[in-house]
Short mmCIF file of all heavy atoms in Angstrom, two decimals:
data_model
loop_
_atom_site.label_atom_id
_atom_site.label_comp_id
_atom_site.label_asym_id
_atom_site.label_seq_id
_atom_site.Cartn_x
_atom_site.Cartn_y
_atom_site.Cartn_z
N GLU A 6 241.99 72.34 7.20
CA GLU A 6 241.29 73.37 6.39
C GLU A 6 240.04 72.80 5.80
O GLU A 6 238.95 73.43 5.81
CB GLU A 6 242.25 73.91 5.29
CG GLU A 6 243.33 74.86 5.80
CD GLU A 6 244.25 75.26 4.64
OE1 GLU A 6 243.98 74.91 3.50
OE2 GLU A 6 245.24 75.97 4.95
N ARG A 7 240.12 71.57 5.30
CA ARG A 7 238.96 71.00 4.67
C ARG A 7 237.90 70.57 5.70
O ARG A 7 236.72 70.74 5.42
CB ARG A 7 239.42 69.72 3.88
CG ARG A 7 240.32 70.04 2.72
CD ARG A 7 240.65 68.79 1.88
NE ARG A 7 241.72 69.04 0.91
CZ ARG A 7 242.16 68.16 0.00
NH1 ARG A 7 241.48 67.00 -0.09
NH2 ARG A 7 243.10 68.45 -0.79
N ILE A 8 238.34 70.10 6.84
CA ILE A 8 237.34 69.62 7.80
C ILE A 8 236.73 70.79 8.52
O ILE A 8 235.55 70.68 8.97
CB ILE A 8 238.03 68.62 8.80
CG1 ILE A 8 236.95 67.73 9.39
CG2 ILE A 8 238.80 69.32 9.87
CD1 ILE A 8 237.51 66.55 10.17
N ASP A 9 237.46 71.89 8.63
CA ASP A 9 236.91 73.08 9.33
C ASP A 9 235.66 73.60 8.57
O ASP A 9 234.72 74.09 9.24
CB ASP A 9 237.97 74.17 9.43
CG ASP A 9 238.96 73.89 10.55
OD1 ASP A 9 238.70 72.95 11.34
OD2 ASP A 9 239.99 74.57 10.63
N GLY A 10 235.72 73.60 7.24
CA GLY A 10 234.57 74.09 6.48
C GLY A 10 233.37 73.21 6.75
O GLY A 10 232.23 73.79 6.88
N TRP A 11 233.55 71.87 6.78
CA TRP A 11 232.41 71.03 7.06
C TRP A 11 231.87 71.19 8.47
O TRP A 11 230.66 71.24 8.68
CB TRP A 11 232.82 69.59 6.82
CG TRP A 11 231.58 68.65 6.87
CD1 TRP A 11 230.79 68.36 5.83
CD2 TRP A 11 231.09 67.97 8.00
NE1 TRP A 11 229.80 67.50 6.22
CE2 TRP A 11 229.93 67.27 7.58
CE3 TRP A 11 231.48 67.87 9.35
CZ2 TRP A 11 229.20 66.41 8.43
CZ3 TRP A 11 230.71 67.09 10.18
CH2 TRP A 11 229.58 66.36 9.73
N PHE A 12 232.80 71.39 9.47
CA PHE A 12 232.38 71.60 10.84
C PHE A 12 231.57 72.89 10.97
O PHE A 12 230.61 72.94 11.76
CB PHE A 12 233.60 71.66 11.73
CG PHE A 12 234.10 70.32 12.20
CD1 PHE A 12 233.55 69.14 11.69
CD2 PHE A 12 235.12 70.17 13.11
CE1 PHE A 12 233.97 67.87 12.10
CE2 PHE A 12 235.57 68.95 13.52
CZ PHE A 12 234.97 67.80 13.03
N ALA A 13 231.96 73.94 10.21
CA ALA A 13 231.18 75.18 10.26
C ALA A 13 229.74 74.96 9.80
O ALA A 13 228.84 75.57 10.33
CB ALA A 13 231.84 76.24 9.39
N TYR A 14 229.59 74.09 8.82
CA TYR A 14 228.21 73.71 8.35
C TYR A 14 227.50 72.86 9.41
O TYR A 14 226.39 73.11 9.73
CB TYR A 14 228.36 72.96 7.01
CG TYR A 14 227.15 72.20 6.59
CD1 TYR A 14 226.11 72.86 5.99
CD2 TYR A 14 227.06 70.80 6.79
CE1 TYR A 14 224.99 72.14 5.61
CE2 TYR A 14 225.95 70.14 6.37
CZ TYR A 14 224.91 70.78 5.75
OH TYR A 14 223.81 70.10 5.37
N ALA A 15 228.23 71.87 9.93
CA ALA A 15 227.60 70.91 10.88
C ALA A 15 227.20 71.58 12.21
O ALA A 15 226.34 71.11 12.90
CB ALA A 15 228.54 69.76 11.15
N MET A 16 227.85 72.71 12.56
CA MET A 16 227.54 73.39 13.81
C MET A 16 226.13 73.94 13.86
O MET A 16 225.64 74.31 14.90
CB MET A 16 228.55 74.51 14.03
CG MET A 16 229.94 74.00 14.46
SD MET A 16 231.16 75.37 14.63
CE MET A 16 230.47 76.26 16.04
N HIS A 17 225.45 74.02 12.68
CA HIS A 17 224.08 74.49 12.66
C HIS A 17 223.13 73.49 13.33
O HIS A 17 221.98 73.79 13.62
CB HIS A 17 223.60 74.77 11.20
CG HIS A 17 224.36 75.88 10.57
ND1 HIS A 17 224.52 77.10 11.18
CD2 HIS A 17 225.03 75.95 9.42
CE1 HIS A 17 225.22 77.89 10.39
NE2 HIS A 17 225.52 77.21 9.30
N ALA A 18 223.63 72.23 13.49
CA ALA A 18 222.81 71.19 14.13
C ALA A 18 223.43 70.85 15.47
O ALA A 18 224.53 71.30 15.85
CB ALA A 18 222.75 69.97 13.23
N ASP A 19 222.74 69.98 16.23
CA ASP A 19 223.20 69.47 17.51
C ASP A 19 224.24 68.36 17.21
O ASP A 19 223.90 67.15 17.27
CB ASP A 19 222.06 68.97 18.36
CG ASP A 19 221.07 70.16 18.68
OD1 ASP A 19 220.30 70.53 17.78
OD2 ASP A 19 221.18 70.63 19.80
N THR A 20 225.48 68.79 16.95
CA THR A 20 226.51 67.80 16.51
C THR A 20 227.75 67.85 17.32
O THR A 20 228.81 67.37 16.92
CB THR A 20 226.89 68.09 15.02
OG1 THR A 20 227.33 69.43 14.92
CG2 THR A 20 225.67 67.88 14.12
N TYR A 21 227.71 68.39 18.55
CA TYR A 21 228.91 68.60 19.33
C TYR A 21 229.60 67.24 19.57
O TYR A 21 230.80 67.11 19.32
CB TYR A 21 228.57 69.26 20.67
CG TYR A 21 229.77 69.30 21.62
CD1 TYR A 21 230.76 70.28 21.38
CD2 TYR A 21 229.93 68.40 22.69
CE1 TYR A 21 231.90 70.31 22.23
CE2 TYR A 21 231.03 68.45 23.54
CZ TYR A 21 232.01 69.41 23.29
OH TYR A 21 233.10 69.45 24.11
N ARG A 22 228.87 66.24 20.02
CA ARG A 22 229.48 64.91 20.30
C ARG A 22 230.00 64.30 19.03
O ARG A 22 231.10 63.69 19.05
CB ARG A 22 228.42 64.04 20.95
CG ARG A 22 228.01 64.39 22.35
CD ARG A 22 227.04 63.43 22.94
NE ARG A 22 226.62 63.75 24.27
CZ ARG A 22 225.78 63.12 25.03
NH1 ARG A 22 225.24 61.97 24.52
NH2 ARG A 22 225.48 63.50 26.24
N PHE A 23 229.28 64.42 17.90
CA PHE A 23 229.75 63.79 16.69
C PHE A 23 231.02 64.46 16.20
O PHE A 23 231.99 63.82 15.80
CB PHE A 23 228.69 63.93 15.60
CG PHE A 23 229.12 63.44 14.26
CD1 PHE A 23 229.33 62.06 14.00
CD2 PHE A 23 229.34 64.32 13.23
CE1 PHE A 23 229.78 61.64 12.80
CE2 PHE A 23 229.76 63.90 12.00
CZ PHE A 23 230.00 62.53 11.78
N ARG A 24 231.08 65.82 16.29
CA ARG A 24 232.30 66.53 15.85
C ARG A 24 233.48 66.17 16.74
O ARG A 24 234.62 65.98 16.24
CB ARG A 24 232.04 68.05 15.87
CG ARG A 24 231.16 68.48 14.68
CD ARG A 24 230.94 70.01 14.64
NE ARG A 24 229.94 70.39 15.66
CZ ARG A 24 230.15 71.26 16.61
NH1 ARG A 24 231.36 71.75 16.84
NH2 ARG A 24 229.20 71.61 17.48
N LYS A 25 233.23 66.05 18.07
CA LYS A 25 234.32 65.73 18.98
C LYS A 25 234.83 64.32 18.71
O LYS A 25 236.04 64.05 18.67
CB LYS A 25 233.79 65.81 20.41
CG LYS A 25 234.85 65.62 21.50
CD LYS A 25 234.25 65.85 22.89
CE LYS A 25 235.28 65.61 23.98
NZ LYS A 25 234.69 65.82 25.30
N TYR A 26 233.92 63.36 18.48
CA TYR A 26 234.27 62.03 18.15
C TYR A 26 235.07 61.95 16.84
O TYR A 26 236.10 61.24 16.74
CB TYR A 26 233.02 61.11 18.09
CG TYR A 26 233.26 59.81 17.42
CD1 TYR A 26 233.90 58.73 18.07
CD2 TYR A 26 232.84 59.56 16.10
CE1 TYR A 26 234.07 57.54 17.48
CE2 TYR A 26 233.01 58.37 15.48
CZ TYR A 26 233.66 57.35 16.16
OH TYR A 26 233.87 56.14 15.53
N THR A 27 234.61 62.70 15.87
CA THR A 27 235.25 62.68 14.53
C THR A 27 236.68 63.18 14.63
O THR A 27 237.62 62.60 14.06
CB THR A 27 234.45 63.57 13.57
OG1 THR A 27 233.13 63.02 13.41
CG2 THR A 27 235.11 63.64 12.20
N MET A 28 236.93 64.26 15.39
CA MET A 28 238.24 64.85 15.53
C MET A 28 239.15 63.84 16.27
O MET A 28 240.36 63.69 15.89
CB MET A 28 238.17 66.15 16.25
CG MET A 28 237.80 67.34 15.39
SD MET A 28 238.83 67.51 13.90
CE MET A 28 240.45 67.79 14.64
N LYS A 29 238.65 63.23 17.31
CA LYS A 29 239.47 62.25 18.03
C LYS A 29 239.88 61.07 17.15
O LYS A 29 241.03 60.59 17.15
CB LYS A 29 238.68 61.70 19.23
CG LYS A 29 238.67 62.63 20.42
CD LYS A 29 238.02 61.92 21.63
CE LYS A 29 238.12 62.83 22.87
NZ LYS A 29 237.46 62.17 24.05
N ARG A 30 238.92 60.61 16.33
CA ARG A 30 239.26 59.49 15.42
C ARG A 30 240.31 59.90 14.39
O ARG A 30 241.20 59.11 14.08
CB ARG A 30 237.91 59.07 14.72
CG ARG A 30 238.07 57.84 13.86
CD ARG A 30 236.72 57.20 13.64
NE ARG A 30 235.79 58.03 12.96
CZ ARG A 30 235.62 58.01 11.62
NH1 ARG A 30 236.31 57.18 10.85
NH2 ARG A 30 234.72 58.84 11.08
N LEU A 31 240.13 61.12 13.84
CA LEU A 31 241.07 61.59 12.87
C LEU A 31 242.46 61.74 13.48
O LEU A 31 243.44 61.34 12.84
CB LEU A 31 240.56 62.91 12.28
CG LEU A 31 241.51 63.61 11.30
CD1 LEU A 31 241.68 62.75 10.04
CD2 LEU A 31 240.90 64.97 10.90
N GLN A 32 242.56 62.39 14.62
CA GLN A 32 243.84 62.59 15.29
C GLN A 32 244.53 61.28 15.62
O GLN A 32 245.75 61.19 15.51
CB GLN A 32 243.62 63.50 16.51
CG GLN A 32 243.30 64.93 16.23
CD GLN A 32 242.77 65.72 17.42
OE1 GLN A 32 242.59 65.15 18.48
NE2 GLN A 32 242.60 66.99 17.26
#
């Protein structure tokens, strides 16, 4: 829930790779 809010913000930029890497690291 907490990370989804930040991802919704980050999606305004070219952050696909960073978001994918972040989720993999967290999981």
